[in-house]
Amino acid sequence: MTESIDTLHQQMKAAAAAMDFETASRLRDRIALLRDGASAGEAASADTSGLTRQQPGRMGLGTSRQRVEPPEGWTPPPKPDLMVGRKR
């Protein structure tokens, strides 16, 4: 299996050097499937077009905070007046 991963890695580098990034990304995904335990046949026949990679700043990559999207039409409340209720 390591020979297969090595050959796929070389093919991926060659495809990237030839500016064929779609082929390189498909080969990268096949390598990832092989490393995760898929057989060579399963990795070759797998449809990886729907796979998405995690983005920096999302859960699990460098931060534990989610980016929360407010509902459509929501406006933030007005800021409080700091001078109200103040005694001198």
Side-chain angles (χ1 to χ4, degrees), residues 1-11:
M1 178 164 28
T2 57
E3 292 178 22
S4 177
I5 290 175
D6 290 338
T7 57
L8 287 174
H9 191 58
Q10 291 172 356
Q11 291 174 1

Side-chain angles (χ1 to χ4, degrees), residues 1-79:
M1 178 164 28
T2 57
E3 292 178 22
S4 177
I5 290 175
D6 290 338
T7 57
L8 287 174
H9 191 58
Q10 291 172 356
Q11 291 174 1
M12 180 183 70
K13 282 187 174 184
M19 301 292 184
D20 187 6
F21 298 116
E22 291 180 10
T23 302
S25 68
R26 280 195 300 273
L27 290 168
R28 176 201 62 211
D29 293 338
R30 282 180 59 191
I31 291 170
L33 288 172
L34 286 172
R35 287 184 178 161
D36 286 340
S39 68
E42 291 171 340
S45 65
D47 180 21
T48 59
S49 61
L51 294 179
T52 57
R53 303 254 174 217
Q54 286 185 327
Q55 300 297 317
R58 301 290 182 194
M59 290 292 290
L61 285 178
T63 181
S64 61
R65 294 180 56 195
Q66 294 187 44
R67 292 189 182 164
V68 179
E69 298 290 327
E72 188 174 323
W74 181 82
T75 56
K79 293 187 177 184

